[in-house]
Every structure is written in structure tokens, then in C-alpha cells.
Amino acid sequence: MSTIDTICLSRSEAKSVERTSTLFGGDYSEERESVLKRLWGLYCELAAKRRGRLALGEMSDWHLRDIGVSEKDARQQSTVPFWR
């Protein structure tokens, strides 16, 4: 038996190996997808916070009074890092 024969499996051998690996928990595609969805959700949440804080920092005094926020609080909130 040559090295190439050892490395290259026939189609039936490859399918049996594939079935065996999924039986013993080798298929993690759903778990990987779930992790990616959670990471994307976290990114979207943090980005929305950051956009809101930047908008708060750009509001005029009149707009801030209208929503009931003092200028000092708005400026302070606009400097908070996105991860908080």
C-alpha cells in the first residue's frame, strides 16, 4: 500500500468516516453558527449604544432640554466608551 493510498480515502470510506465523526459529536456547524449569531448580536448592540451616545453629544442645548437631559450629563455620556 502506497502513501497516496493511505492518505486518499475512497468515497465509501470517506462517507463512513464522515458519519462516524458526526455520530461522536464531530459536527459543530450549528454551535458555530450560534456563537456567530451571538457575537453579531453583541456587536449590533454595542454599535447602537455608540451611535446613540455620539448623537447625544451632537445635540443642541434646545434638543437636550426637550428630552430632559442636562448639557453636562449629555457631554459626559457621549465620552463613555462603547463597551460600557
Side-chain angles (χ1 to χ4, degrees):
M1 186 174 209
S2 72
T3 306
I4 297 298
D5 292 333
T6 306
I7 295 172
C8 297
L9 300 173
S10 67
R11 287 185 184 190
S12 61
E13 290 172 326
K15 285 186 181 191
S16 71
V17 168
E18 182 180 309
R19 273 190 244 116
T20 309
S21 68
T22 57
L23 286 175
F24 295 114
D27 185 18
Y28 297 106
S29 60
E30 289 179 21
E31 183 179 326
R32 198 174 319 127
E33 183 178 319
S34 174
V35 169
L36 290 176
K37 282 182 181 180
R38 287 187 306 208
L39 285 173
W40 180 251
L42 178 63
Y43 169 77
C44 289
E45 182 183 328
L46 292 175
K49 281 184 181 181
R50 184 66 185 148
R51 283 190 305 270
R53 288 177 177 156
L54 288 175
L56 192 61
E58 295 175 357
M59 287 184 176
S60 67
D61 293 336
W62 181 83
H63 287 113
L64 293 172
R65 277 195 312 268
D66 191 39
I67 63 172
V69 177
S70 71
E71 183 180 356
K72 179 185 172 188
D73 290 340
R75 304 303 172 237
Q76 184 179 14
Q77 195 59 230
S78 67
T79 61
V80 173
F82 71 92
W83 57 85
R84 290 192 194 164

